[in-house]
Amino acid sequence: MIPVTIITGFLGSGKTTLLNKLISENPEVKFAVIENEFGEIGIDNELVEGVDDGI
């Protein structure tokens, strides 16, 4: 089994802050993030620590 956590909330509710805290407090753990971002300009990939877009 692979544990899955879904983080959801309104714009400015702290989702990216929570994700960055999880990443910084658990540097030995690998995270996969699937993001469904609304709007013409995506900014979360610029804000999350250690992002590798896999390309």
Side-chain angles (χ1 to χ4, degrees):
M1 296 182 83
I2 299 173
V4 174
T5 301
I6 298 172
I7 302 171
T8 185
F10 291 105
L11 183 65
S13 64
K15 299 175 301 291
T16 303
T17 302
L18 174 62
L19 186 55
N20 281 331
K21 184 173 178 73
L22 289 171
I23 292 169
S24 66
E25 289 183 357
N26 300 284
E28 71 286 349
V29 177
K30 292 190 178 200
F31 292 87
V33 176
I34 300 171
E35 182 176 27
N36 185 15
E37 199 169 34
F38 293 99
E40 290 184 28
I41 301 171
I43 62 167
D44 281 345
N45 63 324
E46 304 288 329
L47 300 174
V48 176
E49 296 177 7
V51 169
D52 176 7
D53 61 12
I55 297 175

Short mmCIF file of all heavy atoms in Angstrom, two decimals:
data_model
loop_
_atom_site.label_atom_id
_atom_site.label_comp_id
_atom_site.label_asym_id
_atom_site.label_seq_id
_atom_site.Cartn_x
_atom_site.Cartn_y
_atom_site.Cartn_z
N MET A 1 0.84 -1.19 0.00
CA MET A 1 0.00 0.00 0.00
C MET A 1 0.88 1.25 0.00
O MET A 1 1.92 1.28 0.64
CB MET A 1 -0.90 0.03 1.22
CG MET A 1 -1.91 -1.11 1.27
SD MET A 1 -2.98 -0.99 2.71
CE MET A 1 -4.16 0.16 2.10
N ILE A 2 0.42 2.26 -0.70
CA ILE A 2 1.10 3.54 -0.73
C ILE A 2 0.18 4.57 -0.09
O ILE A 2 -0.96 4.74 -0.53
CB ILE A 2 1.43 3.96 -2.19
CG1 ILE A 2 2.36 2.94 -2.83
CG2 ILE A 2 2.03 5.36 -2.22
CD1 ILE A 2 2.59 3.17 -4.30
N PRO A 3 0.66 5.25 0.94
CA PRO A 3 -0.19 6.27 1.58
C PRO A 3 -0.40 7.47 0.66
O PRO A 3 0.51 7.87 -0.06
CB PRO A 3 0.59 6.67 2.83
CG PRO A 3 1.98 6.21 2.61
CD PRO A 3 1.94 5.11 1.61
N VAL A 4 -1.60 8.00 0.67
CA VAL A 4 -1.96 9.16 -0.14
C VAL A 4 -2.61 10.20 0.75
O VAL A 4 -3.46 9.87 1.58
CB VAL A 4 -2.94 8.76 -1.27
CG1 VAL A 4 -3.42 9.97 -2.03
CG2 VAL A 4 -2.30 7.75 -2.20
N THR A 5 -2.21 11.45 0.58
CA THR A 5 -2.82 12.56 1.30
C THR A 5 -3.29 13.58 0.28
O THR A 5 -2.55 13.92 -0.63
CB THR A 5 -1.81 13.22 2.26
OG1 THR A 5 -1.36 12.24 3.19
CG2 THR A 5 -2.44 14.37 3.01
N ILE A 6 -4.50 14.06 0.45
CA ILE A 6 -5.04 15.09 -0.42
C ILE A 6 -5.10 16.39 0.37
O ILE A 6 -5.67 16.44 1.46
CB ILE A 6 -6.44 14.71 -0.93
CG1 ILE A 6 -6.37 13.44 -1.76
CG2 ILE A 6 -7.06 15.87 -1.74
CD1 ILE A 6 -7.70 12.87 -2.16
N ILE A 7 -4.48 17.44 -0.19
CA ILE A 7 -4.50 18.76 0.44
C ILE A 7 -5.35 19.66 -0.45
O ILE A 7 -5.07 19.80 -1.64
CB ILE A 7 -3.08 19.35 0.57
CG1 ILE A 7 -2.18 18.42 1.38
CG2 ILE A 7 -3.14 20.74 1.21
CD1 ILE A 7 -0.72 18.82 1.38
N THR A 8 -6.37 20.25 0.12
CA THR A 8 -7.26 21.11 -0.64
C THR A 8 -7.61 22.34 0.18
O THR A 8 -7.46 22.33 1.40
CB THR A 8 -8.53 20.34 -1.07
OG1 THR A 8 -9.32 21.17 -1.91
CG2 THR A 8 -9.33 19.90 0.13
N GLY A 9 -8.04 23.37 -0.48
CA GLY A 9 -8.45 24.58 0.23
C GLY A 9 -8.47 25.77 -0.70
O GLY A 9 -8.04 25.70 -1.85
N PHE A 10 -8.98 26.85 -0.19
CA PHE A 10 -9.09 28.08 -0.97
C PHE A 10 -7.74 28.72 -1.20
O PHE A 10 -6.76 28.42 -0.51
CB PHE A 10 -10.01 29.08 -0.25
CG PHE A 10 -11.44 28.65 -0.22
CD1 PHE A 10 -11.99 28.15 0.95
CD2 PHE A 10 -12.23 28.74 -1.35
CE1 PHE A 10 -13.31 27.75 0.98
CE2 PHE A 10 -13.55 28.34 -1.32
CZ PHE A 10 -14.10 27.85 -0.15
N LEU A 11 -7.67 29.62 -2.17
CA LEU A 11 -6.48 30.39 -2.45
C LEU A 11 -6.05 31.14 -1.19
O LEU A 11 -6.87 31.79 -0.54
CB LEU A 11 -6.78 31.39 -3.57
CG LEU A 11 -5.62 32.25 -4.05
CD1 LEU A 11 -4.55 31.38 -4.71
CD2 LEU A 11 -6.11 33.29 -5.04
N GLY A 12 -4.79 30.97 -0.81
CA GLY A 12 -4.27 31.65 0.37
C GLY A 12 -4.53 30.94 1.68
O GLY A 12 -4.28 31.50 2.75
N SER A 13 -5.00 29.69 1.63
CA SER A 13 -5.34 28.99 2.87
C SER A 13 -4.15 28.28 3.51
O SER A 13 -4.29 27.74 4.60
CB SER A 13 -6.46 27.98 2.62
OG SER A 13 -6.04 26.98 1.72
N GLY A 14 -2.99 28.25 2.83
CA GLY A 14 -1.79 27.67 3.44
C GLY A 14 -1.39 26.31 2.91
O GLY A 14 -0.55 25.63 3.52
N LYS A 15 -1.94 25.89 1.78
CA LYS A 15 -1.59 24.58 1.22
C LYS A 15 -0.11 24.47 0.87
O LYS A 15 0.54 23.49 1.22
CB LYS A 15 -2.43 24.30 -0.03
CG LYS A 15 -3.93 24.27 0.21
CD LYS A 15 -4.72 24.10 -1.07
CE LYS A 15 -4.46 25.19 -2.09
NZ LYS A 15 -4.97 26.52 -1.76
N THR A 16 0.43 25.48 0.20
CA THR A 16 1.84 25.47 -0.19
C THR A 16 2.73 25.56 1.03
O THR A 16 3.76 24.88 1.10
CB THR A 16 2.13 26.61 -1.17
OG1 THR A 16 1.26 26.48 -2.30
CG2 THR A 16 3.57 26.60 -1.64
N THR A 17 2.35 26.34 2.02
CA THR A 17 3.12 26.45 3.26
C THR A 17 3.17 25.10 3.97
O THR A 17 4.24 24.67 4.43
CB THR A 17 2.49 27.50 4.19
OG1 THR A 17 2.46 28.76 3.49
CG2 THR A 17 3.27 27.64 5.48
N LEU A 18 2.05 24.41 4.04
CA LEU A 18 2.01 23.08 4.65
C LEU A 18 2.89 22.10 3.90
O LEU A 18 3.67 21.36 4.50
CB LEU A 18 0.56 22.56 4.69
CG LEU A 18 0.40 21.12 5.17
CD1 LEU A 18 0.88 20.96 6.61
CD2 LEU A 18 -1.04 20.68 5.03
N LEU A 19 2.80 22.12 2.58
CA LEU A 19 3.62 21.22 1.75
C LEU A 19 5.11 21.50 1.96
O LEU A 19 5.90 20.57 2.13
CB LEU A 19 3.24 21.37 0.28
CG LEU A 19 3.88 20.41 -0.70
CD1 LEU A 19 3.64 18.97 -0.31
CD2 LEU A 19 3.38 20.69 -2.10
N ASN A 20 5.51 22.76 1.98
CA ASN A 20 6.92 23.11 2.21
C ASN A 20 7.38 22.67 3.60
O ASN A 20 8.51 22.22 3.77
CB ASN A 20 7.14 24.60 2.02
CG ASN A 20 7.24 24.99 0.57
OD1 ASN A 20 7.66 24.19 -0.26
ND2 ASN A 20 6.85 26.21 0.26
N LYS A 21 6.52 22.78 4.60
CA LYS A 21 6.88 22.33 5.95
C LYS A 21 7.10 20.82 5.97
O LYS A 21 8.06 20.34 6.56
CB LYS A 21 5.79 22.74 6.93
CG LYS A 21 6.10 22.42 8.38
CD LYS A 21 5.06 23.02 9.29
CE LYS A 21 5.30 22.69 10.73
NZ LYS A 21 6.41 23.38 11.33
N LEU A 22 6.21 20.08 5.32
CA LEU A 22 6.37 18.63 5.26
C LEU A 22 7.67 18.24 4.57
O LEU A 22 8.38 17.33 5.01
CB LEU A 22 5.19 18.00 4.52
CG LEU A 22 3.85 18.02 5.24
CD1 LEU A 22 2.73 17.56 4.30
CD2 LEU A 22 3.90 17.14 6.48
N ILE A 23 7.99 18.92 3.47
CA ILE A 23 9.21 18.62 2.73
C ILE A 23 10.45 18.95 3.55
O ILE A 23 11.39 18.16 3.63
CB ILE A 23 9.23 19.38 1.39
CG1 ILE A 23 8.14 18.82 0.47
CG2 ILE A 23 10.60 19.29 0.72
CD1 ILE A 23 7.88 19.67 -0.76
N SER A 24 10.47 20.12 4.20
CA SER A 24 11.66 20.54 4.95
C SER A 24 11.87 19.72 6.22
O SER A 24 13.01 19.51 6.63
CB SER A 24 11.58 22.03 5.29
OG SER A 24 10.53 22.29 6.20
N GLU A 25 10.79 19.23 6.83
CA GLU A 25 10.93 18.43 8.05
C GLU A 25 11.20 16.95 7.78
O GLU A 25 11.51 16.21 8.70
CB GLU A 25 9.68 18.57 8.91
CG GLU A 25 9.56 19.95 9.54
CD GLU A 25 8.35 20.08 10.44
OE1 GLU A 25 7.56 19.12 10.56
OE2 GLU A 25 8.21 21.16 11.04
N ASN A 26 11.07 16.54 6.53
CA ASN A 26 11.27 15.13 6.16
C ASN A 26 12.14 15.04 4.91
O ASN A 26 11.70 14.53 3.88
CB ASN A 26 9.92 14.46 5.90
CG ASN A 26 9.02 14.51 7.11
OD1 ASN A 26 9.22 13.76 8.05
ND2 ASN A 26 8.04 15.39 7.08
N PRO A 27 13.40 15.50 4.98
CA PRO A 27 14.24 15.53 3.78
C PRO A 27 14.55 14.15 3.21
O PRO A 27 14.88 14.03 2.03
CB PRO A 27 15.51 16.22 4.25
CG PRO A 27 15.53 16.04 5.73
CD PRO A 27 14.09 15.96 6.16
N GLU A 28 14.44 13.10 4.01
CA GLU A 28 14.74 11.75 3.54
C GLU A 28 13.56 11.10 2.81
O GLU A 28 13.72 10.07 2.17
CB GLU A 28 15.17 10.86 4.71
CG GLU A 28 14.07 10.49 5.68
CD GLU A 28 13.61 11.60 6.62
OE1 GLU A 28 14.27 12.66 6.71
OE2 GLU A 28 12.58 11.41 7.29
N VAL A 29 12.40 11.72 2.89
CA VAL A 29 11.20 11.16 2.28
C VAL A 29 10.98 11.78 0.90
O VAL A 29 11.12 12.99 0.73
CB VAL A 29 9.95 11.44 3.17
CG1 VAL A 29 8.69 10.93 2.50
CG2 VAL A 29 10.13 10.83 4.55
N LYS A 30 10.67 10.95 -0.07
CA LYS A 30 10.36 11.45 -1.41
C LYS A 30 8.86 11.66 -1.51
O LYS A 30 8.08 10.85 -1.03
CB LYS A 30 10.83 10.47 -2.47
CG LYS A 30 12.32 10.37 -2.54
CD LYS A 30 12.74 9.59 -3.75
CE LYS A 30 14.26 9.58 -3.77
NZ LYS A 30 14.77 9.28 -5.10
N PHE A 31 8.48 12.77 -2.12
CA PHE A 31 7.08 13.11 -2.29
C PHE A 31 6.76 13.19 -3.78
O PHE A 31 7.55 13.69 -4.56
CB PHE A 31 6.78 14.50 -1.69
CG PHE A 31 6.88 14.56 -0.20
CD1 PHE A 31 8.08 14.83 0.42
CD2 PHE A 31 5.76 14.36 0.58
CE1 PHE A 31 8.18 14.89 1.79
CE2 PHE A 31 5.85 14.43 1.96
CZ PHE A 31 7.05 14.69 2.57
N ALA A 32 5.61 12.71 -4.15
CA ALA A 32 5.08 12.94 -5.49
C ALA A 32 3.87 13.84 -5.32
O ALA A 32 3.00 13.59 -4.49
CB ALA A 32 4.66 11.63 -6.14
N VAL A 33 3.82 14.91 -6.10
CA VAL A 33 2.73 15.87 -5.98
C VAL A 33 2.04 15.98 -7.33
O VAL A 33 2.68 16.21 -8.35
CB VAL A 33 3.26 17.26 -5.56
CG1 VAL A 33 2.13 18.28 -5.53
CG2 VAL A 33 3.96 17.19 -4.21
N ILE A 34 0.73 15.80 -7.32
CA ILE A 34 -0.08 16.04 -8.50
C ILE A 34 -0.89 17.28 -8.19
O ILE A 34 -1.62 17.32 -7.19
CB ILE A 34 -1.00 14.84 -8.81
CG1 ILE A 34 -0.16 13.59 -9.07
CG2 ILE A 34 -1.92 15.17 -9.98
CD1 ILE A 34 -0.98 12.32 -9.18
N GLU A 35 -0.77 18.26 -9.04
CA GLU A 35 -1.41 19.54 -8.76
C GLU A 35 -2.38 19.89 -9.87
O GLU A 35 -2.06 19.78 -11.05
CB GLU A 35 -0.34 20.62 -8.65
CG GLU A 35 -0.90 21.97 -8.33
CD GLU A 35 0.21 22.98 -8.14
OE1 GLU A 35 1.28 22.79 -8.73
OE2 GLU A 35 -0.01 23.92 -7.40
N ASN A 36 -3.56 20.29 -9.47
CA ASN A 36 -4.57 20.77 -10.40
C ASN A 36 -4.73 22.25 -10.12
O ASN A 36 -5.45 22.65 -9.22
CB ASN A 36 -5.87 20.01 -10.21
CG ASN A 36 -6.91 20.39 -11.24
OD1 ASN A 36 -6.58 21.00 -12.25
ND2 ASN A 36 -8.14 20.04 -10.99
N GLU A 37 -4.03 23.06 -10.89
CA GLU A 37 -4.01 24.49 -10.64
C GLU A 37 -4.93 25.20 -11.62
O GLU A 37 -4.91 24.93 -12.81
CB GLU A 37 -2.57 25.01 -10.81
CG GLU A 37 -2.33 26.34 -10.16
CD GLU A 37 -0.84 26.65 -10.13
OE1 GLU A 37 -0.12 26.27 -11.06
OE2 GLU A 37 -0.42 27.29 -9.17
N PHE A 38 -5.75 26.09 -11.11
CA PHE A 38 -6.67 26.85 -11.95
C PHE A 38 -6.07 28.20 -12.27
O PHE A 38 -5.32 28.76 -11.49
CB PHE A 38 -8.00 27.06 -11.21
CG PHE A 38 -8.76 25.79 -11.00
CD1 PHE A 38 -8.72 25.13 -9.79
CD2 PHE A 38 -9.52 25.25 -12.03
CE1 PHE A 38 -9.41 23.96 -9.59
CE2 PHE A 38 -10.22 24.08 -11.84
CZ PHE A 38 -10.17 23.43 -10.62
N GLY A 39 -6.40 28.73 -13.42
CA GLY A 39 -5.93 30.05 -13.81
C GLY A 39 -4.97 29.97 -14.98
O GLY A 39 -4.43 28.92 -15.31
N GLU A 40 -4.76 31.11 -15.60
CA GLU A 40 -3.90 31.18 -16.78
C GLU A 40 -2.43 31.01 -16.42
O GLU A 40 -1.65 30.49 -17.20
CB GLU A 40 -4.10 32.51 -17.49
CG GLU A 40 -5.44 32.63 -18.18
CD GLU A 40 -5.58 33.92 -18.95
OE1 GLU A 40 -4.55 34.45 -19.42
OE2 GLU A 40 -6.72 34.39 -19.10
N ILE A 41 -2.02 31.47 -15.25
CA ILE A 41 -0.62 31.43 -14.85
C ILE A 41 -0.47 30.52 -13.64
O ILE A 41 -1.06 30.76 -12.59
CB ILE A 41 -0.10 32.85 -14.50
CG1 ILE A 41 -0.27 33.78 -15.70
CG2 ILE A 41 1.34 32.79 -14.04
CD1 ILE A 41 0.01 35.23 -15.39
N GLY A 42 0.34 29.47 -13.79
CA GLY A 42 0.62 28.57 -12.67
C GLY A 42 1.81 29.08 -11.88
O GLY A 42 2.86 29.35 -12.44
N ILE A 43 1.65 29.24 -10.56
CA ILE A 43 2.74 29.77 -9.74
C ILE A 43 3.23 28.82 -8.67
O ILE A 43 4.31 28.98 -8.15
CB ILE A 43 2.36 31.11 -9.07
CG1 ILE A 43 1.18 30.91 -8.12
CG2 ILE A 43 2.07 32.16 -10.10
CD1 ILE A 43 0.94 32.08 -7.20
N ASP A 44 2.44 27.79 -8.33
CA ASP A 44 2.84 26.92 -7.22
C ASP A 44 4.14 26.19 -7.48
O ASP A 44 4.91 25.93 -6.55
CB ASP A 44 1.74 25.91 -6.89
CG ASP A 44 0.63 26.53 -6.05
OD1 ASP A 44 0.86 27.62 -5.50
OD2 ASP A 44 -0.44 25.92 -5.95
N ASN A 45 4.44 25.84 -8.73
CA ASN A 45 5.71 25.16 -9.00
C ASN A 45 6.90 26.07 -8.70
O ASN A 45 8.00 25.59 -8.48
CB ASN A 45 5.77 24.66 -10.44
CG ASN A 45 5.70 25.78 -11.45
OD1 ASN A 45 4.99 26.76 -11.24
ND2 ASN A 45 6.39 25.64 -12.55
N GLU A 46 6.68 27.37 -8.64
CA GLU A 46 7.74 28.32 -8.28
C GLU A 46 7.88 28.45 -6.76
O GLU A 46 8.90 28.88 -6.26
CB GLU A 46 7.44 29.70 -8.86
CG GLU A 46 7.23 29.73 -10.35
CD GLU A 46 8.53 29.53 -11.12
OE1 GLU A 46 9.59 29.93 -10.60
OE2 GLU A 46 8.46 28.96 -12.21
N LEU A 47 6.85 28.05 -6.01
CA LEU A 47 6.81 28.28 -4.57
C LEU A 47 7.15 27.05 -3.73
O LEU A 47 7.54 27.17 -2.58
CB LEU A 47 5.41 28.78 -4.15
CG LEU A 47 4.96 30.09 -4.81
CD1 LEU A 47 3.51 30.37 -4.42
CD2 LEU A 47 5.85 31.23 -4.40
N VAL A 48 7.02 25.85 -4.29
CA VAL A 48 7.27 24.63 -3.54
C VAL A 48 8.76 24.34 -3.57
O VAL A 48 9.39 24.37 -4.62
CB VAL A 48 6.46 23.45 -4.11
CG1 VAL A 48 6.81 22.16 -3.38
CG2 VAL A 48 4.98 23.73 -4.01
N GLU A 49 9.32 24.02 -2.41
CA GLU A 49 10.76 23.77 -2.28
C GLU A 49 11.15 22.48 -3.01
O GLU A 49 10.47 21.48 -2.92
CB GLU A 49 11.12 23.60 -0.79
CG GLU A 49 10.91 24.84 0.02
CD GLU A 49 11.20 24.61 1.49
OE1 GLU A 49 11.68 23.54 1.87
OE2 GLU A 49 10.93 25.53 2.27
N GLY A 50 12.29 22.54 -3.72
CA GLY A 50 12.87 21.35 -4.32
C GLY A 50 12.05 20.75 -5.44
O GLY A 50 12.09 19.55 -5.65
N VAL A 51 11.34 21.56 -6.19
CA VAL A 51 10.49 21.04 -7.27
C VAL A 51 11.34 20.55 -8.42
O VAL A 51 12.26 21.21 -8.87
CB VAL A 51 9.51 22.14 -7.76
CG1 VAL A 51 8.82 21.70 -9.04
CG2 VAL A 51 8.49 22.44 -6.69
N ASP A 52 11.00 19.36 -8.89
CA ASP A 52 11.58 18.78 -10.11
C ASP A 52 10.39 18.38 -10.97
O ASP A 52 9.63 17.51 -10.58
CB ASP A 52 12.43 17.58 -9.78
CG ASP A 52 12.99 16.88 -11.01
OD1 ASP A 52 12.83 17.40 -12.12
OD2 ASP A 52 13.57 15.80 -10.83
N ASP A 53 10.22 19.04 -12.09
CA ASP A 53 9.01 18.81 -12.89
C ASP A 53 9.03 17.48 -13.66
O ASP A 53 8.09 17.16 -14.37
CB ASP A 53 8.71 19.97 -13.83
CG ASP A 53 9.81 20.23 -14.83
OD1 ASP A 53 10.71 19.39 -14.98
OD2 ASP A 53 9.77 21.29 -15.48
N GLY A 54 10.09 16.73 -13.53
CA GLY A 54 10.14 15.41 -14.14
C GLY A 54 10.40 15.41 -15.63
O GLY A 54 10.36 14.37 -16.26
N ILE A 55 10.65 16.56 -16.19
CA ILE A 55 10.90 16.64 -17.63
C ILE A 55 12.38 16.50 -17.92
O ILE A 55 13.20 16.98 -17.25
CB ILE A 55 10.35 17.96 -18.21
CG1 ILE A 55 8.84 17.99 -18.03
CG2 ILE A 55 10.72 18.10 -19.67
CD1 ILE A 55 8.19 19.29 -18.45
#
